[in-house]
Structure formats: C-alpha cells, structure tokens
Amino acid sequence: MREYELTEHARLVVKRRKIDKEWLGRALNHFDRVERDSDDPTLSHYLVKIFERDNRVLRVVVNDHNEPNKIVTAFFDRNMRGKL
C-alpha cells in the first residue's frame, strides 16, 4: 500500500467535505484514472469512483515527487460525474 501524508490544507478540506480517509487510499492504490497536472509537473490527479457516494468521482491531487507522497487537496469532481 502506498504511503502518503496530508498537507494542512488537505486535512481541512477532507474533514469539511466528509471524505473518508479509506477513499484517499483507494484513490492512490486502486484509481480509475490518473492525470498529470497541466501547470505543475510535480502533481498528479488520481480519480476514483466512490460507490458509497452515489458513484461520484473523487479527485485527489498529490505531489508524488515526495516520500511519502503528499496529498495537496481532494474533492468530488462534478465535471467527471458519469465519465468514468
């Protein structure tokens, strides 16, 4: 299983958006799609469908050039609904 840490911002938004930490692990280890960030080459976007949240798509933005990887932010991506 892939190791990761949350930035302070990520801790706040995960709590506020009621994102289960198990879902973060699912996104990093069993993702449906991964995209490179268009502005920052150190960031990757991991997308995973969350069945427990009506198949909404969770986008987890990670700086994967660090060990352990740092989750920068996470949110349910409305634009991806029905596309995975």
Side-chain angles (χ1 to χ4, degrees):
M1 184 151 210
R2 198 164 159 185
E3 298 281 322
Y4 66 87
E5 292 179 353
L6 281 75
T7 62
E8 186 60 33
H9 170 77
R11 268 192 274 287
L12 292 171
V13 298
V14 162
K15 184 177 180 180
R16 185 175 347 125
R17 296 172 179 158
K18 298 179 177 127
I19 296 171
D20 191 309
K21 291 193 178 174
E22 187 272 327
W23 300 341
L24 299 174
R26 192 184 309 171
L28 295 180
N29 293 294
H30 305 289
F31 53 87
D32 293 313
R33 182 187 302 179
V34 65
E35 301 173 350
R36 299 303 299 173
D37 190 87
S38 60
D39 296 325
D40 187 340
T42 66
L43 299 179
S44 297
H45 297 234
Y46 293 85
L47 293 92
V48 65
K49 201 182 309 183
I50 303 297
F51 302 105
E52 300 90 334
R53 293 289 290 268
D54 298 323
N55 290 322
R56 294 173 70 191
V57 176
L58 179 64
R59 181 179 292 265
V60 181
V61 181
V62 178
N63 182 330
D64 51 13
H65 285 33
N66 291 332
E67 269 307 314
N69 296 158
K70 297 231 188 248
I71 294 179
V72 177
T73 195
F75 58 94
F76 288 101
D77 189 337
R78 291 183 181 122
N79 294 325
M80 291 302 296
R81 191 167 202 143
K83 295 183 180 174
L84 286 184

